[in-house]
């Protein structure tokens, strides 16, 4: 059985948990804070980042994007990528976009924890531009379709709805729902799936 080292609010770890659930792969969830002195993360990932998937033989796979590729190759049924090359590329492009928005959100969250006099307004504004531009492109890309990419649920849906889920939890001040009502309806529908409901931070 796999073990997944995860940080509860992490959108990257949530992507992996959703993929494992959608594929019906059993795993043990280990919750850690990677910067605590007691963390086991460095034993399994020299970059000391989560999530980390620990294999039965004691090996590990890390970086959420690579973990998802690993799961898709090792457990191809049900597939989370379209069957055609263009569809795969479209899903991967959306994943890159969504990860970029998550990067900007996570770093902004930690910047907000610093004393206000030490926060950089210019740096925060740059991250906000990434967030706004990324959300605009996610909404444009999905439009009014049922699925982010192709004709069924997949990686694109996981990527897009982890972003909107993280926004809901960490950034209630960002009014994306009013700006992108189609994206909001889409996120609510996908978010009703058991794999999403079971992984809400």
């Amino acid at each position: 059985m796999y073990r997944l080292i995860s940080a509860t609010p992490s959108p990257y770890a949530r992507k992996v948990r959703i993929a494992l659930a959608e594929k019906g792969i059993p795993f043990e969830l280990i919750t850690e804070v990677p910067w605590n002195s007691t963390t086991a993360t460095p034993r399994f990932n020299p970059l000391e980042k989560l999530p980390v998937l620990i294999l039965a033989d004691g090996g590990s796979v890390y970086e959420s994007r690579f973990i998802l590729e690993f799961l898709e190759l090792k457990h191809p049924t049900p597939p989370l990528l379209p069957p055609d090359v263009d569809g795969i590329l479209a899903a991967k492009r959306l994943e890159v976009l969504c990860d970029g928005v998550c990067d900007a959100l996570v770093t902004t969250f930690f910047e907000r924890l610093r004393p206000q006099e030490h926060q950089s307004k210019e740096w925060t504004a740059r991250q906000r531009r990434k967030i706004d531009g990324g959300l605009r492109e996610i909404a444009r890309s999905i439009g009014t379709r049922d699925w982010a990419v192709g004709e069924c649920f997949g990686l694109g849906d996981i990527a897009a709805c982890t972003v909107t889920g993280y926004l809901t939890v960490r950034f209630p001040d960002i009014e994306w729902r009013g700006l992108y009502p189609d994206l909001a309806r889409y996120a609510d529908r996908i978010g009703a799936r058991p794999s999403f409901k079971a992984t809400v931070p």
Side-chain angles (χ1 to χ4, degrees):
M1 179 186 290
Y2 294 127
R3 289 181 291 158
L4 180 69
I5 305 180
S6 163
T8 302
S10 166
Y12 312 104
R14 190 183 184 204
K15 283 198 309 179
V16 176
R17 292 174 64 193
I18 290 168
L20 287 163
E22 291 286 343
K23 286 181 174 289
I25 302 170
F27 68 100
E28 176 190 353
L29 181 64
I30 302 167
T31 302
E32 284 204 1
V33 178
W35 46 83
N36 281 359
S37 60
T38 56
T39 181
T41 304
R43 288 171 43 207
F44 299 102
N45 181 357
L47 302 176
E48 300 190 22
K49 295 168 62 181
L50 297 179
V52 179
L53 188 69
I54 305 173
L55 312 182
D57 64 2
S60 61
V61 183
Y62 41 86
E63 194 67 38
S64 60
R65 205 178 304 170
F66 182 56
I67 296 173
L68 292 173
E69 290 181 6
F70 174 90
L71 293 174
E72 193 68 11
L73 291 170
K74 292 286 190 178
H75 304 272
T77 305
L80 293 177
L81 287 172
D84 60 299
V85 171
D86 287 342
I88 292 170
L89 292 173
K92 295 284 188 180
R93 177 184 181 277
L94 183 56
E95 183 185 27
V96 168
L97 175 66
C98 293
D99 279 358
V101 175
C102 282
D103 291 346
L105 287 167
V106 170
T107 53
T108 297
F109 173 77
F110 284 110
E111 179 71 4
R112 287 180 174 184
L113 296 180
R114 300 174 68 202
Q116 193 163 4
E117 64 271 17
H118 297 305
Q119 294 179 23
S120 167
K121 292 181 180 179
E122 294 80 7
W123 185 90
T124 301
R126 183 167 183 261
Q127 302 312 308
R128 181 58 188 263
R129 290 196 302 273
K130 295 179 187 179
I131 293 164
D132 292 343
L135 283 172
R136 185 167 56 249
E137 179 59 15
I138 292 168
R140 187 206 65 77
S141 176
I142 297 172
T144 58
R145 292 199 309 277
D146 289 339
W147 310 109
V149 177
E151 301 301 321
C152 61
F153 177 86
L155 174 64
D157 302 297
I158 295 174
C161 290
T162 350
V163 171
T164 57
Y166 192 71
L167 278 166
T168 299
V169 170
R170 291 291 205 201
F171 292 88
D173 56 305
I174 296 181
E175 297 288 344
W176 65 275
R177 287 181 166 273
L179 287 173
Y180 308 112
D182 289 333
L183 180 62
R185 284 189 289 271
Y186 159 84
D188 289 342
R189 181 170 52 79
I190 300 297
R193 294 175 74 90
S195 61
F196 279 83
K197 293 174 76 172
T199 57
V200 173

